Amino acid sequence: MSTPGLRLAPFRGLRYVPERVGSLAAVTSPPYDVVVRPDGLRHLETADPHNIVRLILPHAVPAAARNRKAAETLAEWLAEGVLAADPEPALYVYEQRRGDILQRGLIGALALSPPADGVVLPHEDVMPHLIEDRAALMRATGAHLEPLLLTYRGDGTNGAAALIEAVVARTPLLSTTTEDGYAHRLWAVTDPAELAAVQQDLAHRQALIADGHHRWATYLRLRGEHQGPGPWDLGLVLLVDTARYPLQVRAIHRLLHQLPVAHALSALDGAFRVRTLDGTSLPRALDALAGAVQEGNAFLIAGDGRYHLVDRPSPALLDRTVRKDRPADWRALDATVLHATMLDHLWRVPDSPEHIGYIHDTEAAVEHAERQGGAATAVLMHPVREEVVRELARQGVTMPRKSTSFGPKPATGLVLRSLELEQG
């Protein structure tokens, strides 16, 4: 019996009414887990009173009131006509462009059942507290506020790929350029024949989760909480054919809030080679890191005003600290060595948000650490190759959490999915 493939259903997207907001760009946001700095959150909140960040990262005291506040805000915006549902269900062609970077894909409601094992492949571990956080928000709002980013390998020319190329010649529903320089365009596909062509193409495909592991795990949890068929059986996704539009793979860095740089370096003595790159700029330090990873595991330590290149771990130490029941590619990952050997064994840093932060932007990671005057440590990582990620996912092996950052990520706020609307 063949494994079922991807089933992407049309839905009535919730979208901002342009006349009711300052600009479409001003109401968008990066995904919730990329908005890490308080100043970044404040910037988005003040860009427009209806910025989507007020839904995905609501403020309230006590914390238990935050999700209720997001639900109330969503209801207000719907009642006031700030957000409105499209007249008929659609799949949405979504384009992002900046300079030489061009990404196009399909936004739709992906079927979560039958069981997605072998159809949607996760590649990273997840943190239970983040799943519960997202689940509470989805329950309160009855909505999927931002799509996951999934990739698949089509042939790049036929099926969904051919449809996308035809659709982008049409007039878009919306067009805007966000402050990061990306131009965004969105089209609705409602023609039954075109929708059928997409379904036929995807019916034998499998997808890799590129971004949104916690939201995917949340979808599955909430589906399990509801009996019978319904809108919780589907999850909002952006699906990109990387045979046509390869994604960029970037690293996610660690910020160790309570580990001083001096203590971090001292604990590495004798276990790794540590070299201080005096007078080196961040770009040159990253170049040194890129060269070092060609020979094995390597990291940059920052936070005291300098960069320290850490490489050449003791083979005996790796043998003692890295679990042996995983493939060689997994054992050799920088993230594996960081978590098993450095964080758990040498530094003994507890695996909790109070001790470990995850930051996508390299400069922001360094800035956060240096603000603490050496009392916090930034660990800068080099990105993993996409082929390694995909192969481990096919083997059913998950990487350490927050090992990769695929992009460009979809802008949050261009199209939302209301589960309550689908319940009638």
Side-chain angles (χ1 to χ4, degrees):
M1 182 177 177
S2 61
T3 301
L6 301 167
R7 293 186 293 133
L8 196 64
F11 68 102
R12 291 179 62 195
L14 288 184
R15 296 190 296 109
Y16 281 98
V17 177
E19 295 77 15
R20 298 303 307 275
V21 297
S23 72
L24 289 175
V27 295
T28 64
S29 164
Y32 80 97
D33 57 341
V34 180
V35 185
V36 293
R37 292 184 292 184
D39 56 335
L41 184 59
R42 287 192 296 270
H43 173 72
L44 291 168
E45 289 177 329
T46 57
D48 188 283
H50 300 107
N51 189 282
I52 192 68
V53 78
R54 296 180 184 274
L55 301 183
I56 63 172
L57 291 171
H59 284 309
V61 178
R66 291 172 185 165
N67 297 319
R68 183 173 66 252
K69 182 176 181 181
E72 292 170 351
T73 300
L74 177 58
E76 289 172 4
W77 291 358
L78 288 168
E80 295 169 358
V82 174
L83 287 169
D86 282 333
E88 57 184 317
L91 294 180
Y92 296 88
V93 172
Y94 175 46
E95 175 189 274
Q96 295 164 274
R97 184 192 295 267
R98 186 181 71 183
D100 294 333
I101 300 173
L102 174 62
Q103 179 171 287
R104 291 171 176 156
L106 286 168
I107 295 177
L110 185 71
L112 308 178
S113 55
D117 294 346
V119 179
V120 175
L121 305 175
H123 71 267
E124 287 186 355
D125 293 331
V126 293
M127 292 173 275
H129 76 280
L130 288 181
I131 297 172
E132 185 50 49
D133 174 72
R134 291 296 101 182
L137 180 63
M138 289 185 198
R139 289 189 198 101
T141 58
H144 293 161
L145 303 173
E146 47 188 335
L148 281 66
L149 175 59
L150 304 183
T151 73
Y152 73 101
R153 299 290 291 180
D155 59 19
T157 56
N158 300 309
L163 170 68
I164 288 172
E165 297 310 306
V167 168
V168 297
R170 305 170 188 169
T171 302
L173 289 175
L174 64 84
S175 178
T176 190
T177 300
T178 46
E179 64 180 10
D180 59 4
Y182 275 98
H184 308 261
R185 296 197 293 172
L186 191 76
W187 297 258
V189 179
T190 58
D191 180 81
E194 292 181 331
L195 295 174
V198 171
Q199 303 302 340
Q200 182 178 4
D201 181 32
L202 298 180
H204 60 284
R205 309 287 187 193
Q206 64 177 193
L208 175 73
I209 301 176
D211 185 68
H213 283 81
H214 290 90
R215 281 167 284 162
W216 176 256
T218 302
Y219 288 169
L220 297 181
R221 172 181 290 190
L222 295 177
R223 180 195 65 180
E225 294 176 0
H226 293 78
Q227 301 298 319
W232 295 98
D233 293 336
L234 305 165
L236 184 63
V237 304
L238 166 63
L239 193 59
V240 175
D241 179 0
T242 54
R244 179 84 176 186
Y245 299 106
L247 272 67
Q248 298 176 310
V249 187
R250 301 175 63 187
I252 302 177
H253 312 295
R254 274 59 172 167
L255 178 64
L256 310 180
H257 301 292
Q258 301 180 37
L259 179 67
V261 174
H263 292 180
L265 297 175
S266 176
L268 296 174
D269 186 36
F272 288 76
R273 182 175 68 169
V274 180
R275 291 173 288 165
T276 299
L277 309 176
D278 285 317
T280 300
S281 64
L282 178 56
R284 293 188 63 181
L286 292 172
D287 287 342
L289 175 62
V293 296
Q294 302 304 314
E295 301 179 6
N297 303 116
F299 313 87
L300 277 178
I301 302 294
D304 62 352
R306 299 180 296 174
Y307 298 101
H308 310 273
L309 182 61
V310 176
D311 63 357
R312 297 189 183 180
S314 161
L317 177 62
L318 296 184
D319 188 63
R320 292 198 312 272
T321 56
V322 177
R323 57 191 295 181
K324 298 179 174 61
D325 61 343
R326 295 293 180 94
D329 282 348
W330 184 92
R331 290 172 53 83
L333 290 170
D334 288 337
T336 297
V337 172
L338 172 62
H339 282 263
T341 304
M342 299 165 76
L343 289 171
D344 293 349
H345 182 75
L346 295 175
W347 292 336
R348 300 193 181 278
V349 173
D351 187 6
S352 67
E354 295 77 20
H355 290 270
I356 305 177
Y358 298 87
I359 300 183
H360 294 71
D361 183 82
T362 309
E363 292 183 358
V366 175
E367 177 185 333
H368 270 289
E370 291 191 342
R371 283 179 182 171
Q372 305 304 314
T377 296
V379 183
L380 307 184
M381 311 279 286
H382 189 74
V384 182
R385 290 180 295 110
E386 181 180 357
E387 310 89 81
V388 173
V389 176
R390 192 176 295 276
E391 182 54 35
L392 286 173
R394 287 198 179 107
Q395 296 177 47
V397 178
T398 55
M399 299 166 65
R401 63 186 63 120
K402 301 292 184 181
S403 294
T404 59
S405 176
F406 285 84
K409 303 179 189 301
T412 297
L414 295 181
V415 60
L416 291 62
R417 176 176 176 246
S418 169
L419 285 76
E420 294 186 354
L421 180 67
E422 295 177 22
Q423 287 175 323

